[in-house]
Each structure stands twice: as structure tokens, then as C-alpha cells.
Amino acid sequence: MTAVTRKDVEYIASLAKLRLDEEEVPVITDQLNRILEYVEHLNELDTSDVEPLAHPLELQNVFREDEKKPSLKREEALKNAPRRAGDYFSVPKVVRK
């Protein structure tokens, strides 16, 4: 197992756009290393007879059939919009570079 280093934590934080205090970096480094140690213990288990699961419980989604229905008229859809830009909803910009 390769240990997570301070440099790794700082790189991961930059990818996640997180600002870590100097006191947080060693704590998170230790926590990530303990997580990896635990995963290493799990890798020692024999899972050759275990079927991979997408969910721990056997669930079945119930889907209804698609039905073609008339859509709203544009004015009806936009009548309660807080802001409009012509024939469109106007929303605040949320993506920054």
C-alpha cells in the first residue's frame, strides 16, 4: 500500500477546490491513510463466490409507460417565471472560470 503524503492531500484539495488550514492537512492525511488501511483489510477477504451488487438490497424500480400528452404553451410555462429574457427563463449565472 502506498501512503498518502502531505503533497497528495494538497493536490487533492486543489482538485476539489478546497482551502485547507495548515492544521487540517496532517489530520486529513492521517484520515486518508487509515481509510486506505481499512480498504486493504477488505481486499484480503475472499469474495470469489460473491456476486457484485449495484445496491445492497434487492430493489426493483417501477416505471410507468410513457404517455404522449400535449405540452404547455410557452406563455403558460413562463407566466410565473420570476425573470424572463424574451421567450426564455432568465436564471443567475452559476458557472465561474
Side-chain angles (χ1 to χ4, degrees):
M1 177 183 83
T2 306
V4 175
T5 65
R6 176 185 185 90
K7 186 176 177 181
D8 295 329
V9 170
E10 290 168 348
Y11 178 67
I12 292 167
S14 72
L15 291 176
K17 303 211 184 304
L18 298 174
R19 279 185 227 144
L20 300 177
D21 295 335
E22 282 300 314
E23 305 85 45
E24 291 176 303
V25 175
V27 173
I28 293 173
T29 303
D30 180 56
Q31 290 173 344
L32 287 174
N33 279 312
R34 286 190 292 156
I35 290 168
L36 290 176
E37 285 175 24
Y38 184 73
V39 170
E40 196 61 38
H41 288 301
L42 293 176
N43 285 336
E44 295 171 5
L45 297 173
D46 178 20
T47 58
S48 58
D49 292 333
V50 179
E51 183 180 339
L53 299 174
H55 195 281
L57 304 175
E58 287 193 35
L59 298 175
Q60 196 171 27
N61 282 332
V62 181
F63 294 107
R64 62 175 170 76
E65 291 296 318
D66 288 336
E67 297 176 22
K68 188 174 180 180
K69 295 181 180 179
S71 63
L72 292 174
K73 302 284 185 217
R74 181 173 290 140
E75 277 307 312
E76 182 71 19
L78 291 168
K79 76 177 182 182
N80 291 322
R83 290 192 326 239
R84 291 175 61 167
D87 289 338
Y88 304 98
F89 289 96
S90 178
V91 296
K93 184 177 179 179
V94 293
V95 178
R96 288 182 248 140
K97 288 187 177 186

